Amino acid sequence: MTTFDADLVVVGLGAMGAATTYHAAKAGLRVIGIDQFAPPHNLGSTHGETRITRLAVGEGPQYLPFVARAHEIWRDLEAATGETLFHQSGGLLVTEQHAVPGQRWEDFAHVTKAIADDAGIDFSIETPADVRQRYPMYQIPDDYRVGFEPTAGLVMAERAVAAQLVEAQRHGAQVRTGQRVTDVRHDATGVDVRTTTGSVRASHVVLATGPWIHDLAPRSLAETITITRQIILFFEVEDLSRYTTDRLPWMMWIAPQDEDYVGVFPAPPGGSRALKFVGEQFVETTTPDTVLRTVSVDEISDYYEQLLVPKVSGVTPNCIKAEVCLYANTVDDHFLIDHHPDTDRIMVMSPCSGHGFKHSTALGEAVAQQLVSGDSDLDLSPFATK
C-alpha cells in the first residue's frame, strides 16, 4: 500500500499555485505548496501591485466563466480575510479605427463588444470626445475607437496571493518556502517531488511554475513556451486625487505594434502614490536566470517621452518605482492547462501569456474540483493541448 505525504503537491505559489493550494485545501485535500522563494515576491509574473480584470474578455468566450467566478471569489476572500482585493474602477479599451486583420489585437474593442453582447455584459463603444470629457487626462484622438466596461477593475496582486496562502494554511495546507524543486518523477501509484531539502510523495502534482516552466514540465509542453521580459513603471502625477480607482478607469491603449502598447492603472487605496504603467513586447525572449531585472534610465525616459506623454496628461517624469515582470507565452496567446502527456497525476497550469491573473483563482478552484471529483464546474478543456 502506497503511503502519501500529501494528496496534492503544488509547485510554485504565484497566482495559479496559490489559488490551487487554497481551493484544494478548502475542499479537504491534504496539500503541500512549495516555492523556491517567499511569495508573494517580485521575481516572476505575480507582482506589480495591481492586475486588470474585466468580465468582457475579448481573448475569447471560453474565458468569461472563469473571470466571472473569480470576481465572486475575490469578494468571498475579502469577507474571510478583511483584505480589500478588488476595486471596481471600470476599464477602457482604446484601439485604432481601422485595425489590420492578422494583427495580434485586431479590432479588440469591437471583438470585445461582440463577446460582451452575447454574454449580457455591460460594454459600450464610446466616442473619444465623450471619454475625454469624463476623463480629460486620457488624450484619445478622434480617429480612435474606445470600449468601456463599468464592471471591470483592478485586483491587488500580491495581496490576493498572500490572502489565498493564509486561507490555505487555515484550511490545513502546508506552505513550504525557500525550497527549490529539483525533480518530479511519477510512477503507477504516485509522484515523488524532490527538493533541495528533501522529498515528498503525493497522489497528484500541479506544476504552476510560471516562467520556470522549462525546469520541470515535460519537454513536449515546455518547448512551446517562450519567456519575455516586461516593464512596470510607477510615475508621480500632479494631483493624485484625479487618478484613483474611484475616479479613473484603467486603460489598455492597444497599438498595431506590441511595443507601442500602454496599460494605465489608477492608484488604489493604500497602494503606491503614483500612476502605474506597463508595456508589452513578445519578440525578445529570456529566462528567469538570465533576465535583466533592473529597468534602465533610458528605458524609463523612452517610455515616458514616446508612449506616456502623448496619451496621458498630468504625469510627471519622476518614476518612483520600476520593476520587471516575466510572461510565459504560448504560441497562440491562450492558456496551457493540461496533464503531463505520460500521466494524469501531473498537471501543468502556468503559461498564461500575460492575461492569466484575472482568471487565476477560478482556475485554481476548477483544478481542485477535478482532483477531488474528476470533474469541475467550469470547463478546462479549451486550455488543453490540441
Side-chain angles (χ1 to χ4, degrees), residues 59 104-105 225-231 252 254-262 278-286 325-334 352-356:
E59 286 85 350
R104 181 170 181 265
W105 293 97
I225 307 302
T226 59
I227 310 303
T228 52
R229 172 184 180 268
Q230 317 295 340
I231 60 173
M252 292 170 56
I254 295 162
Q257 303 299 319
D258 290 334
E259 58 269 25
D260 294 329
Y261 170 95
V262 173
V278 301
E280 283 193 345
Q281 67 85 23
F282 297 91
V283 175
E284 296 183 11
T285 62
T286 187
C325 178
L326 298 176
Y327 285 2
N329 312 288
T330 64
V331 294
D332 61 3
D333 293 330
H334 292 299
C352 294
S353 304
H355 64 110

Side-chain angles (χ1 to χ4, degrees), residues 221-300:
L221 298 180
E223 67 185 3
T224 66
I225 307 302
T226 59
I227 310 303
T228 52
R229 172 184 180 268
Q230 317 295 340
I231 60 173
I232 304 172
L233 307 173
F234 292 79
F235 286 94
E236 285 187 335
V237 292
E238 295 169 357
D239 181 2
L240 185 65
S241 67
R242 300 174 63 230
Y243 298 85
T244 55
T245 49
D246 59 339
R247 298 188 65 181
L248 187 71
W250 54 254
M251 179 175 67
M252 292 170 56
W253 191 303
I254 295 162
Q257 303 299 319
D258 290 334
E259 58 269 25
D260 294 329
Y261 170 95
V262 173
V264 186
F265 297 63
S272 298
R273 296 185 59 79
L275 200 59
K276 172 186 165 182
F277 292 83
V278 301
E280 283 193 345
Q281 67 85 23
F282 297 91
V283 175
E284 296 183 11
T285 62
T286 187
T287 74
D289 296 326
T290 61
V291 63
L292 178 62
R293 292 195 175 275
T294 58
V295 184
S296 71
V297 172
D298 286 344
E299 282 183 289
I300 295 170

Side-chain angles (χ1 to χ4, degrees), residues 166-184:
V166 167
E167 285 298 288
Q169 291 174 91
R170 189 171 71 82
H171 287 286
Q174 297 181 42
V175 173
R176 302 181 181 180
T177 60
Q179 298 183 19
R180 184 171 62 86
V181 173
T182 58
D183 197 12
V184 176

Side-chain angles (χ1 to χ4, degrees), residues 28-270:
L29 296 184
R30 295 179 302 144
V31 186
I32 298 174
I34 303 175
D35 197 287
Q36 61 184 319
F37 304 112
H41 57 75
N42 65 355
L43 299 174
S45 307
T46 307
H47 59 283
E49 195 167 282
T50 51
R51 285 292 187 276
I52 282 173
T53 184
R54 43 195 162 93
L55 292 179
V57 185
E59 286 85 350
Q62 67 270 35
Y63 294 101
L64 268 62
F66 290 93
V67 74
R69 176 60 183 143
H71 281 202
E72 296 174 347
I73 296 171
W74 298 134
R75 294 306 190 199
D76 290 343
L77 278 165
E78 287 178 332
T81 65
E83 287 277 0
T84 300
L85 303 177
F86 174 45
H87 299 280
Q88 189 172 310
S89 62
L92 296 167
L93 301 178
V94 180
T95 64
E96 291 190 339
Q97 285 276 12
H98 305 290
V100 178
Q103 290 176 343
R104 181 170 181 265
W105 293 97
E106 295 192 2
D107 188 352
F108 197 63
H110 266 186
V111 169
T112 301
K113 169 68 172 169
I115 288 175
D117 287 349
D118 286 344
I121 296 168
D122 188 358
F123 188 94
S124 58
I125 300 296
E126 310 276 338
T127 68
D130 286 341
V131 174
R132 290 196 304 268
Q133 184 175 17
R134 297 204 307 273
Y135 313 111
M137 59 285 290
Y138 286 156
Q139 303 173 133
I140 305 170
D142 287 332
D143 59 347
Y144 276 65
R145 180 177 288 119
V146 186
F148 176 64
E149 182 193 326
T151 49
L154 297 179
V155 179
M156 305 300 294
E158 289 96 338
R159 290 184 196 175
V161 168
Q164 289 176 106
L165 292 178
V166 167
E167 285 298 288
Q169 291 174 91
R170 189 171 71 82
H171 287 286
Q174 297 181 42
V175 173
R176 302 181 181 180
T177 60
Q179 298 183 19
R180 184 171 62 86
V181 173
T182 58
D183 197 12
V184 176
R185 297 187 181 184
H186 66 276
D187 55 37
T189 60
V191 186
D192 290 312
V193 179
R194 301 179 183 180
T195 77
T196 49
T197 62
S199 64
V200 295
R201 185 165 178 81
S203 177
H204 290 85
V205 168
V206 168
L207 299 177
T209 52
W212 288 271
I213 183 173
H214 297 94
D215 293 347
L216 297 172
R219 180 176 297 181
S220 60
L221 298 180
E223 67 185 3
T224 66
I225 307 302
T226 59
I227 310 303
T228 52
R229 172 184 180 268
Q230 317 295 340
I231 60 173
I232 304 172
L233 307 173
F234 292 79
F235 286 94
E236 285 187 335
V237 292
E238 295 169 357
D239 181 2
L240 185 65
S241 67
R242 300 174 63 230
Y243 298 85
T244 55
T245 49
D246 59 339
R247 298 188 65 181
L248 187 71
W250 54 254
M251 179 175 67
M252 292 170 56
W253 191 303
I254 295 162
Q257 303 299 319
D258 290 334
E259 58 269 25
D260 294 329
Y261 170 95
V262 173
V264 186
F265 297 63

